[in-house]
Amino acid sequence: MARVYGAIEGGGTKFVCAVATGPHDIIARVRLDTRTPGVTIPDAIAFIREASRGYDLAAIGVACFGPIELDKGAADYGSVTTTVKPGWAHTPIVAPLREAFGVPVGFDTDVNGAALGEVRWGAAQGCDPAVYLTVGTGIGGGVIVNGTPLHGLMHPEVGHLPIPRLQMADGRLDDFPGVCAYHGGGCFEGLASGPAVGARAGRPAEEVPDDDPLWELEAGYLAVGLATIVCTLSPRRIVVGGGVMHRGNVLHRTRERLRDVLAGYVGRPEIMVPNGEYVVAPHFGQDAGLVGALALAQAAERGAR
């Protein structure tokens, strides 16, 4: 009987679930709208149970939106904690999966999972430390150090790094109020997420033309955030995904602006190369989080041996 793994990418708008033997052999997958926990979690369990029928389910990995509790000594380990997602605060994730299947469950943030998947099989192979950043509905960052997702007081919250306001093209300091529910315009997410672009433009970010000057401002804020990451975590590679990175040539612009922000202080050739060997797109694209969940499942299986 073939060994398979369950993978759940738990997001604020959708849960993507799969059963697979590896990152390039997905047996079945489904997209579930993120409704209440009492509906969404049982639906994910039902899918994995049916899709793994006839196989040996070895472990399950969950790459989940946060904040989440990762301290295994905490009473609420394996739960979503203080999220603003209605109905999801303090929701157990790991416990119902263990109860349903009796197998090891790997659990981490969606971005820590994506970072692990990209280090193991994707765009950050051979790079340690490495950072995965997603720029979309929010901004999140995962960090891999010595082959393992970084945990400490909690998990990295790169999207809430305080970053300085930029000067606008007309010389004024940017006075945009921001969109972060906690920090307004006082953090990376509040100033540079997809909703921030949309709020500045007065229409959804996906409707902003690629030649709009807003994308240059966006690249400037992304470069400031990445420079902070470079100077604090010293990653050997930064993988940047999310819907915003597909617009307005933002990835290329961000690479160029990053060199400007670092101003020669970090003169490593990896950063200076024009074709972008340092800040790169994810190998797995929109599936980075799902593949990350698979990596978490395999790590959980190894840890249980």
mmCIF file of all heavy atoms in Angstrom, residues 195-245:
data_model
loop_
_atom_site.group_PDB
_atom_site.id
_atom_site.type_symbol
_atom_site.label_atom_id
_atom_site.label_comp_id
_atom_site.label_asym_id
_atom_site.label_seq_id
_atom_site.Cartn_x
_atom_site.Cartn_y
_atom_site.Cartn_z
ATOM 1 N N PRO A 195 -4.389 45.256 -0.670
ATOM 2 C CA PRO A 195 -5.417 46.229 -0.285
ATOM 3 C C PRO A 195 -4.880 47.646 -0.129
ATOM 4 O O PRO A 195 -5.615 48.613 -0.352
ATOM 5 C CB PRO A 195 -5.925 45.678 1.045
ATOM 6 C CG PRO A 195 -5.728 44.209 0.930
ATOM 7 C CD PRO A 195 -4.423 44.062 0.193
ATOM 8 N N ALA A 196 -3.601 47.792 0.254
ATOM 9 C CA ALA A 196 -3.017 49.130 0.345
ATOM 10 C C ALA A 196 -2.910 49.756 -1.040
ATOM 11 O O ALA A 196 -3.236 50.936 -1.231
ATOM 12 C CB ALA A 196 -1.648 49.066 1.013
ATOM 13 N N VAL A 197 -2.468 48.967 -2.020
ATOM 14 C CA VAL A 197 -2.412 49.465 -3.397
ATOM 15 C C VAL A 197 -3.818 49.859 -3.851
ATOM 16 O O VAL A 197 -4.025 50.939 -4.435
ATOM 17 C CB VAL A 197 -1.821 48.404 -4.342
ATOM 18 C CG1 VAL A 197 -1.898 48.884 -5.796
ATOM 19 C CG2 VAL A 197 -0.375 48.087 -3.974
ATOM 20 N N GLY A 198 -4.797 49.002 -3.575
ATOM 21 C CA GLY A 198 -6.159 49.291 -3.981
ATOM 22 C C GLY A 198 -6.726 50.534 -3.320
ATOM 23 O O GLY A 198 -7.417 51.333 -3.959
ATOM 24 N N ALA A 199 -6.442 50.694 -2.030
ATOM 25 C CA ALA A 199 -6.947 51.867 -1.313
ATOM 26 C C ALA A 199 -6.333 53.150 -1.853
ATOM 27 O O ALA A 199 -7.015 54.184 -1.946
ATOM 28 C CB ALA A 199 -6.659 51.729 0.180
ATOM 29 N N ARG A 200 -5.058 53.096 -2.198
ATOM 30 C CA ARG A 200 -4.422 54.285 -2.783
ATOM 31 C C ARG A 200 -5.056 54.623 -4.132
ATOM 32 O O ARG A 200 -5.249 55.803 -4.465
ATOM 33 C CB ARG A 200 -2.927 54.031 -2.998
ATOM 34 C CG ARG A 200 -2.087 53.942 -1.734
ATOM 35 C CD ARG A 200 -0.635 53.619 -2.120
ATOM 36 N NE ARG A 200 0.206 53.315 -0.981
ATOM 37 C CZ ARG A 200 0.834 54.216 -0.228
ATOM 38 N NH1 ARG A 200 0.676 55.502 -0.492
ATOM 39 N NH2 ARG A 200 1.598 53.836 0.778
ATOM 40 N N ALA A 201 -5.362 53.577 -4.923
ATOM 41 C CA ALA A 201 -5.862 53.785 -6.278
ATOM 42 C C ALA A 201 -7.362 54.054 -6.325
ATOM 43 O O ALA A 201 -7.870 54.562 -7.327
ATOM 44 C CB ALA A 201 -5.546 52.556 -7.124
ATOM 45 N N GLY A 202 -8.083 53.677 -5.247
ATOM 46 C CA GLY A 202 -9.521 53.832 -5.256
ATOM 47 C C GLY A 202 -10.237 52.759 -6.052
ATOM 48 O O GLY A 202 -11.406 52.918 -6.434
ATOM 49 N N ARG A 203 -9.556 51.641 -6.289
ATOM 50 C CA ARG A 203 -10.131 50.494 -6.999
ATOM 51 C C ARG A 203 -9.280 49.270 -6.687
ATOM 52 O O ARG A 203 -8.147 49.410 -6.210
ATOM 53 C CB ARG A 203 -10.178 50.733 -8.499
ATOM 54 C CG ARG A 203 -8.846 51.154 -9.108
ATOM 55 C CD ARG A 203 -9.004 51.405 -10.584
ATOM 56 N NE ARG A 203 -7.905 52.187 -11.122
ATOM 57 C CZ ARG A 203 -7.726 52.403 -12.426
ATOM 58 N NH1 ARG A 203 -8.560 51.881 -13.304
ATOM 59 N NH2 ARG A 203 -6.719 53.139 -12.848
ATOM 60 N N PRO A 204 -9.769 48.069 -6.923
ATOM 61 C CA PRO A 204 -8.975 46.882 -6.587
ATOM 62 C C PRO A 204 -7.610 46.888 -7.265
ATOM 63 O O PRO A 204 -7.472 47.366 -8.399
ATOM 64 C CB PRO A 204 -9.846 45.730 -7.100
ATOM 65 C CG PRO A 204 -11.238 46.262 -7.080
ATOM 66 C CD PRO A 204 -11.114 47.722 -7.429
ATOM 67 N N ALA A 205 -6.613 46.371 -6.563
ATOM 68 C CA ALA A 205 -5.248 46.390 -7.089
ATOM 69 C C ALA A 205 -5.153 45.730 -8.449
ATOM 70 O O ALA A 205 -4.376 46.166 -9.313
ATOM 71 C CB ALA A 205 -4.303 45.708 -6.098
ATOM 72 N N GLU A 206 -5.956 44.665 -8.676
ATOM 73 C CA GLU A 206 -5.879 43.968 -9.960
ATOM 74 C C GLU A 206 -6.399 44.806 -11.123
ATOM 75 O O GLU A 206 -6.171 44.461 -12.292
ATOM 76 C CB GLU A 206 -6.640 42.639 -9.902
ATOM 77 C CG GLU A 206 -8.079 42.732 -9.473
ATOM 78 C CD GLU A 206 -8.269 42.553 -7.974
ATOM 79 O OE1 GLU A 206 -7.318 42.828 -7.213
ATOM 80 O OE2 GLU A 206 -9.378 42.143 -7.570
ATOM 81 N N GLU A 207 -7.076 45.915 -10.812
ATOM 82 C CA GLU A 207 -7.574 46.803 -11.862
ATOM 83 C C GLU A 207 -6.645 47.991 -12.120
ATOM 84 O O GLU A 207 -6.896 48.781 -13.034
ATOM 85 C CB GLU A 207 -8.963 47.311 -11.502
ATOM 86 C CG GLU A 207 -10.012 46.223 -11.417
ATOM 87 C CD GLU A 207 -11.381 46.750 -11.036
ATOM 88 O OE1 GLU A 207 -11.552 47.998 -11.021
ATOM 89 O OE2 GLU A 207 -12.271 45.939 -10.735
ATOM 90 N N VAL A 208 -5.574 48.119 -11.349
ATOM 91 C CA VAL A 208 -4.632 49.225 -11.541
ATOM 92 C C VAL A 208 -3.735 48.898 -12.734
ATOM 93 O O VAL A 208 -3.099 47.831 -12.764
ATOM 94 C CB VAL A 208 -3.774 49.442 -10.276
ATOM 95 C CG1 VAL A 208 -2.764 50.564 -10.499
ATOM 96 C CG2 VAL A 208 -4.664 49.735 -9.078
ATOM 97 N N PRO A 209 -3.668 49.764 -13.748
ATOM 98 C CA PRO A 209 -2.859 49.463 -14.937
ATOM 99 C C PRO A 209 -1.381 49.252 -14.593
ATOM 100 O O PRO A 209 -0.865 49.840 -13.642
ATOM 101 C CB PRO A 209 -3.041 50.718 -15.809
ATOM 102 C CG PRO A 209 -4.288 51.360 -15.326
ATOM 103 C CD PRO A 209 -4.377 51.058 -13.864
ATOM 104 N N ASP A 210 -0.720 48.425 -15.376
ATOM 105 C CA ASP A 210 0.683 48.117 -15.108
ATOM 106 C C ASP A 210 1.596 49.328 -15.255
ATOM 107 O O ASP A 210 2.706 49.332 -14.713
ATOM 108 C CB ASP A 210 1.161 47.000 -16.044
ATOM 109 C CG ASP A 210 0.660 45.632 -15.618
ATOM 110 O OD1 ASP A 210 0.223 45.491 -14.468
ATOM 111 O OD2 ASP A 210 0.694 44.702 -16.440
ATOM 112 N N ASP A 211 1.164 50.361 -15.983
ATOM 113 C CA ASP A 211 2.003 51.545 -16.148
ATOM 114 C C ASP A 211 1.678 52.643 -15.133
ATOM 115 O O ASP A 211 2.212 53.753 -15.207
ATOM 116 C CB ASP A 211 1.900 52.099 -17.572
ATOM 117 C CG ASP A 211 0.473 52.511 -17.947
ATOM 118 O OD1 ASP A 211 -0.453 52.299 -17.120
ATOM 119 O OD2 ASP A 211 0.282 53.029 -19.068
ATOM 120 N N ASP A 212 0.831 52.350 -14.154
ATOM 121 C CA ASP A 212 0.489 53.334 -13.134
ATOM 122 C C ASP A 212 1.696 53.580 -12.225
ATOM 123 O O ASP A 212 2.376 52.628 -11.823
ATOM 124 C CB ASP A 212 -0.685 52.832 -12.299
ATOM 125 C CG ASP A 212 -1.296 53.923 -11.421
ATOM 126 O OD1 ASP A 212 -0.612 54.383 -10.479
ATOM 127 O OD2 ASP A 212 -2.454 54.292 -11.667
ATOM 128 N N PRO A 213 1.996 54.850 -11.888
ATOM 129 C CA PRO A 213 3.132 55.152 -10.999
ATOM 130 C C PRO A 213 3.036 54.505 -9.623
ATOM 131 O O PRO A 213 4.043 54.392 -8.915
ATOM 132 C CB PRO A 213 3.088 56.685 -10.880
ATOM 133 C CG PRO A 213 2.338 57.152 -12.071
ATOM 134 C CD PRO A 213 1.357 56.069 -12.398
ATOM 135 N N LEU A 214 1.846 54.054 -9.231
ATOM 136 C CA LEU A 214 1.692 53.396 -7.937
ATOM 137 C C LEU A 214 2.595 52.160 -7.811
ATOM 138 O O LEU A 214 3.051 51.834 -6.719
ATOM 139 C CB LEU A 214 0.241 52.965 -7.728
ATOM 140 C CG LEU A 214 -0.697 53.970 -7.063
ATOM 141 C CD1 LEU A 214 -2.104 53.397 -6.996
ATOM 142 C CD2 LEU A 214 -0.201 54.336 -5.672
ATOM 143 N N TRP A 215 2.876 51.485 -8.937
ATOM 144 C CA TRP A 215 3.696 50.272 -8.855
ATOM 145 C C TRP A 215 5.140 50.598 -8.517
ATOM 146 O O TRP A 215 5.839 49.794 -7.893
ATOM 147 C CB TRP A 215 3.594 49.477 -10.152
ATOM 148 C CG TRP A 215 2.208 48.957 -10.393
ATOM 149 C CD1 TRP A 215 1.385 49.255 -11.440
ATOM 150 C CD2 TRP A 215 1.460 48.068 -9.556
ATOM 151 N NE1 TRP A 215 0.172 48.614 -11.308
ATOM 152 C CE2 TRP A 215 0.194 47.869 -10.162
ATOM 153 C CE3 TRP A 215 1.726 47.416 -8.353
ATOM 154 C CZ2 TRP A 215 -0.786 47.047 -9.603
ATOM 155 C CZ3 TRP A 215 0.760 46.594 -7.793
ATOM 156 C CH2 TRP A 215 -0.477 46.421 -8.414
ATOM 157 N N GLU A 216 5.594 51.778 -8.925
ATOM 158 C CA GLU A 216 6.944 52.187 -8.544
ATOM 159 C C GLU A 216 7.014 52.488 -7.052
ATOM 160 O O GLU A 216 7.989 52.140 -6.374
ATOM 161 C CB GLU A 216 7.387 53.415 -9.346
ATOM 162 C CG GLU A 216 8.839 53.814 -9.142
ATOM 163 C CD GLU A 216 9.825 52.749 -9.587
ATOM 164 O OE1 GLU A 216 9.527 51.981 -10.520
ATOM 165 O OE2 GLU A 216 10.920 52.677 -8.976
ATOM 166 N N LEU A 217 5.960 53.115 -6.520
ATOM 167 C CA LEU A 217 5.890 53.352 -5.080
ATOM 168 C C LEU A 217 5.830 52.016 -4.336
ATOM 169 O O LEU A 217 6.492 51.838 -3.306
ATOM 170 C CB LEU A 217 4.663 54.205 -4.742
ATOM 171 C CG LEU A 217 4.442 54.523 -3.265
ATOM 172 C CD1 LEU A 217 5.568 55.400 -2.725
ATOM 173 C CD2 LEU A 217 3.086 55.213 -3.062
ATOM 174 N N GLU A 218 5.036 51.088 -4.854
ATOM 175 C CA GLU A 218 4.953 49.758 -4.244
ATOM 176 C C GLU A 218 6.325 49.093 -4.199
ATOM 177 O O GLU A 218 6.725 48.515 -3.177
ATOM 178 C CB GLU A 218 3.962 48.892 -5.043
ATOM 179 C CG GLU A 218 3.899 47.445 -4.620
ATOM 180 C CD GLU A 218 3.252 47.216 -3.257
ATOM 181 O OE1 GLU A 218 2.752 48.193 -2.659
ATOM 182 O OE2 GLU A 218 3.250 46.062 -2.795
ATOM 183 N N ALA A 219 7.056 49.153 -5.300
ATOM 184 C CA ALA A 219 8.396 48.562 -5.331
ATOM 185 C C ALA A 219 9.311 49.225 -4.315
ATOM 186 O O ALA A 219 10.156 48.563 -3.694
ATOM 187 C CB ALA A 219 8.987 48.688 -6.737
ATOM 188 N N GLY A 220 9.135 50.527 -4.119
ATOM 189 C CA GLY A 220 9.946 51.221 -3.127
ATOM 190 C C GLY A 220 9.691 50.706 -1.722
ATOM 191 O O GLY A 220 10.630 50.457 -0.954
ATOM 192 N N TYR A 221 8.416 50.512 -1.376
ATOM 193 C CA TYR A 221 8.108 49.987 -0.042
ATOM 194 C C TYR A 221 8.561 48.532 0.107
ATOM 195 O O TYR A 221 9.066 48.139 1.166
ATOM 196 C CB TYR A 221 6.610 50.104 0.244
ATOM 197 C CG TYR A 221 6.246 51.468 0.796
ATOM 198 C CD1 TYR A 221 5.389 52.317 0.109
ATOM 199 C CD2 TYR A 221 6.782 51.906 2.005
ATOM 200 C CE1 TYR A 221 5.064 53.578 0.604
ATOM 201 C CE2 TYR A 221 6.464 53.159 2.513
ATOM 202 C CZ TYR A 221 5.611 53.990 1.817
ATOM 203 O OH TYR A 221 5.311 55.236 2.317
ATOM 204 N N LEU A 222 8.400 47.737 -0.943
ATOM 205 C CA LEU A 222 8.878 46.364 -0.866
ATOM 206 C C LEU A 222 10.393 46.329 -0.671
ATOM 207 O O LEU A 222 10.910 45.520 0.107
ATOM 208 C CB LEU A 222 8.489 45.599 -2.135
ATOM 209 C CG LEU A 222 6.997 45.327 -2.309
ATOM 210 C CD1 LEU A 222 6.732 44.662 -3.656
ATOM 211 C CD2 LEU A 222 6.453 44.457 -1.187
ATOM 212 N N ALA A 223 11.092 47.209 -1.343
ATOM 213 C CA ALA A 223 12.551 47.249 -1.202
ATOM 214 C C ALA A 223 12.965 47.622 0.212
ATOM 215 O O ALA A 223 13.920 47.050 0.766
ATOM 216 C CB ALA A 223 13.145 48.238 -2.209
ATOM 217 N N VAL A 224 12.256 48.559 0.825
ATOM 218 C CA VAL A 224 12.573 48.933 2.210
ATOM 219 C C VAL A 224 12.334 47.746 3.138
ATOM 220 O O VAL A 224 13.147 47.451 4.027
ATOM 221 C CB VAL A 224 11.725 50.152 2.644
ATOM 222 C CG1 VAL A 224 11.883 50.406 4.140
ATOM 223 C CG2 VAL A 224 12.136 51.386 1.862
ATOM 224 N N GLY A 225 11.212 47.047 2.948
ATOM 225 C CA GLY A 225 10.948 45.870 3.766
ATOM 226 C C GLY A 225 11.993 44.787 3.569
ATOM 227 O O GLY A 225 12.472 44.179 4.538
ATOM 228 N N LEU A 226 12.379 44.542 2.325
ATOM 229 C CA LEU A 226 13.391 43.518 2.050
ATOM 230 C C LEU A 226 14.752 43.917 2.613
ATOM 231 O O LEU A 226 15.503 43.059 3.100
ATOM 232 C CB LEU A 226 13.500 43.272 0.548
ATOM 233 C CG LEU A 226 12.306 42.605 -0.129
ATOM 234 C CD1 LEU A 226 12.627 42.317 -1.593
ATOM 235 C CD2 LEU A 226 11.898 41.333 0.576
ATOM 236 N N ALA A 227 15.076 45.190 2.552
ATOM 237 C CA ALA A 227 16.351 45.643 3.124
ATOM 238 C C ALA A 227 16.402 45.374 4.619
ATOM 239 O O ALA A 227 17.437 44.977 5.167
ATOM 240 C CB ALA A 227 16.560 47.129 2.841
ATOM 241 N N THR A 228 15.271 45.559 5.300
ATOM 242 C CA THR A 228 15.207 45.244 6.729
ATOM 243 C C THR A 228 15.453 43.762 6.957
ATOM 244 O O THR A 228 16.182 43.361 7.879
ATOM 245 C CB THR A 228 13.832 45.648 7.293
ATOM 246 O OG1 THR A 228 13.620 47.038 7.056
ATOM 247 C CG2 THR A 228 13.752 45.370 8.784
ATOM 248 N N ILE A 229 14.858 42.925 6.110
ATOM 249 C CA ILE A 229 15.057 41.482 6.205
ATOM 250 C C ILE A 229 16.520 41.117 5.954
ATOM 251 O O ILE A 229 17.104 40.303 6.677
ATOM 252 C CB ILE A 229 14.134 40.762 5.208
ATOM 253 C CG1 ILE A 229 12.669 40.913 5.634
ATOM 254 C CG2 ILE A 229 14.502 39.287 5.075
ATOM 255 C CD1 ILE A 229 11.673 40.482 4.575
ATOM 256 N N VAL A 230 17.108 41.710 4.940
ATOM 257 C CA VAL A 230 18.510 41.427 4.609
ATOM 258 C C VAL A 230 19.419 41.766 5.791
ATOM 259 O O VAL A 230 20.312 40.988 6.160
ATOM 260 C CB VAL A 230 18.947 42.214 3.358
ATOM 261 C CG1 VAL A 230 20.461 42.133 3.159
ATOM 262 C CG2 VAL A 230 18.233 41.686 2.120
ATOM 263 N N CYS A 231 19.185 42.905 6.398
ATOM 264 C CA CYS A 231 20.083 43.374 7.457
ATOM 265 C C CYS A 231 19.844 42.690 8.804
ATOM 266 O O CYS A 231 20.717 42.737 9.668
ATOM 267 C CB CYS A 231 19.948 44.887 7.613
ATOM 268 S SG CYS A 231 20.563 45.824 6.201
ATOM 269 N N THR A 232 18.704 42.063 8.999
ATOM 270 C CA THR A 232 18.436 41.405 10.277
ATOM 271 C C THR A 232 18.613 39.893 10.213
ATOM 272 O O THR A 232 19.162 39.287 11.127
ATOM 273 C CB THR A 232 17.013 41.713 10.783
ATOM 274 O OG1 THR A 232 16.064 41.397 9.758
ATOM 275 C CG2 THR A 232 16.878 43.168 11.153
ATOM 276 N N LEU A 233 18.168 39.268 9.111
ATOM 277 C CA LEU A 233 18.200 37.809 9.008
ATOM 278 C C LEU A 233 19.313 37.287 8.111
ATOM 279 O O LEU A 233 19.643 36.105 8.156
ATOM 280 C CB LEU A 233 16.853 37.296 8.485
ATOM 281 C CG LEU A 233 15.662 37.567 9.396
ATOM 282 C CD1 LEU A 233 14.351 37.225 8.688
ATOM 283 C CD2 LEU A 233 15.782 36.781 10.694
ATOM 284 N N SER A 234 19.858 38.140 7.262
ATOM 285 C CA SER A 234 20.951 37.775 6.358
ATOM 286 C C SER A 234 20.658 36.510 5.552
ATOM 287 O O SER A 234 21.480 35.593 5.491
ATOM 288 C CB SER A 234 22.248 37.602 7.164
ATOM 289 O OG SER A 234 23.374 37.647 6.312
ATOM 290 N N PRO A 235 19.484 36.438 4.917
ATOM 291 C CA PRO A 235 19.174 35.241 4.136
ATOM 292 C C PRO A 235 20.053 35.134 2.891
ATOM 293 O O PRO A 235 20.490 36.141 2.328
ATOM 294 C CB PRO A 235 17.713 35.455 3.739
ATOM 295 C CG PRO A 235 17.547 36.942 3.722
ATOM 296 C CD PRO A 235 18.417 37.459 4.833
ATOM 297 N N ARG A 236 20.275 33.906 2.462
ATOM 298 C CA ARG A 236 21.034 33.675 1.233
ATOM 299 C C ARG A 236 20.148 33.797 0.001
ATOM 300 O O ARG A 236 20.648 33.926 -1.109
ATOM 301 C CB ARG A 236 21.710 32.312 1.276
ATOM 302 C CG ARG A 236 22.792 32.225 2.353
ATOM 303 C CD ARG A 236 23.581 30.937 2.255
ATOM 304 N NE ARG A 236 24.596 30.877 3.303
ATOM 305 C CZ ARG A 236 25.795 31.441 3.222
ATOM 306 N NH1 ARG A 236 26.124 32.138 2.142
ATOM 307 N NH2 ARG A 236 26.656 31.330 4.207
ATOM 308 N N ARG A 237 18.864 33.729 0.189
ATOM 309 C CA ARG A 237 17.928 33.970 -0.911
ATOM 310 C C ARG A 237 16.597 34.395 -0.333
ATOM 311 O O ARG A 237 16.199 33.948 0.739
ATOM 312 C CB ARG A 237 17.749 32.727 -1.783
ATOM 313 C CG ARG A 237 16.856 32.958 -3.017
ATOM 314 C CD ARG A 237 17.091 31.904 -4.080
ATOM 315 N NE ARG A 237 18.448 32.012 -4.607
ATOM 316 C CZ ARG A 237 19.055 31.058 -5.301
ATOM 317 N NH1 ARG A 237 18.427 29.918 -5.528
ATOM 318 N NH2 ARG A 237 20.274 31.238 -5.746
ATOM 319 N N ILE A 238 15.899 35.263 -1.070
ATOM 320 C CA ILE A 238 14.551 35.692 -0.705
ATOM 321 C C ILE A 238 13.629 35.329 -1.860
ATOM 322 O O ILE A 238 13.847 35.738 -3.003
ATOM 323 C CB ILE A 238 14.483 37.208 -0.441
ATOM 324 C CG1 ILE A 238 15.444 37.616 0.685
ATOM 325 C CG2 ILE A 238 13.063 37.621 -0.090
ATOM 326 C CD1 ILE A 238 15.529 39.116 0.916
ATOM 327 N N VAL A 239 12.619 34.534 -1.556
ATOM 328 C CA VAL A 239 11.615 34.146 -2.540
ATOM 329 C C VAL A 239 10.370 34.990 -2.279
ATOM 330 O O VAL A 239 9.880 35.033 -1.146
ATOM 331 C CB VAL A 239 11.272 32.646 -2.416
ATOM 332 C CG1 VAL A 239 10.251 32.245 -3.470
ATOM 333 C CG2 VAL A 239 12.541 31.793 -2.534
ATOM 334 N N VAL A 240 9.875 35.662 -3.315
ATOM 335 C CA VAL A 240 8.740 36.579 -3.133
ATOM 336 C C VAL A 240 7.595 36.165 -4.051
ATOM 337 O O VAL A 240 7.735 36.151 -5.272
ATOM 338 C CB VAL A 240 9.129 38.040 -3.421
ATOM 339 C CG1 VAL A 240 7.982 38.970 -3.021
ATOM 340 C CG2 VAL A 240 10.400 38.429 -2.678
ATOM 341 N N GLY A 241 6.461 35.795 -3.433
ATOM 342 C CA GLY A 241 5.277 35.412 -4.186
ATOM 343 C C GLY A 241 4.093 36.263 -3.825
ATOM 344 O O GLY A 241 4.216 37.288 -3.147
ATOM 345 N N GLY A 242 2.915 35.851 -4.282
ATOM 346 C CA GLY A 242 1.693 36.601 -4.021
ATOM 347 C C GLY A 242 1.248 37.366 -5.255
ATOM 348 O O GLY A 242 2.044 37.696 -6.134
ATOM 349 N N GLY A 243 -0.040 37.672 -5.312
ATOM 350 C CA GLY A 243 -0.621 38.275 -6.502
ATOM 351 C C GLY A 243 -0.035 39.613 -6.896
ATOM 352 O O GLY A 243 0.058 39.929 -8.087
ATOM 353 N N VAL A 244 0.362 40.423 -5.923
ATOM 354 C CA VAL A 244 0.909 41.747 -6.241
ATOM 355 C C VAL A 244 2.173 41.639 -7.097
ATOM 356 O O VAL A 244 2.428 42.493 -7.950
ATOM 357 C CB VAL A 244 1.186 42.534 -4.939
ATOM 358 C CG1 VAL A 244 2.025 43.782 -5.214
ATOM 359 C CG2 VAL A 244 -0.128 42.934 -4.278
ATOM 360 N N MET A 245 2.941 40.571 -6.904
ATOM 361 C CA MET A 245 4.216 40.452 -7.604
ATOM 362 C C MET A 245 4.045 40.160 -9.093
ATOM 363 O O MET A 245 5.025 40.185 -9.850
ATOM 364 C CB MET A 245 5.074 39.368 -6.949
ATOM 365 C CG MET A 245 5.347 39.605 -5.478
ATOM 366 S SD MET A 245 5.958 41.285 -5.095
ATOM 367 C CE MET A 245 7.522 41.287 -5.970
#
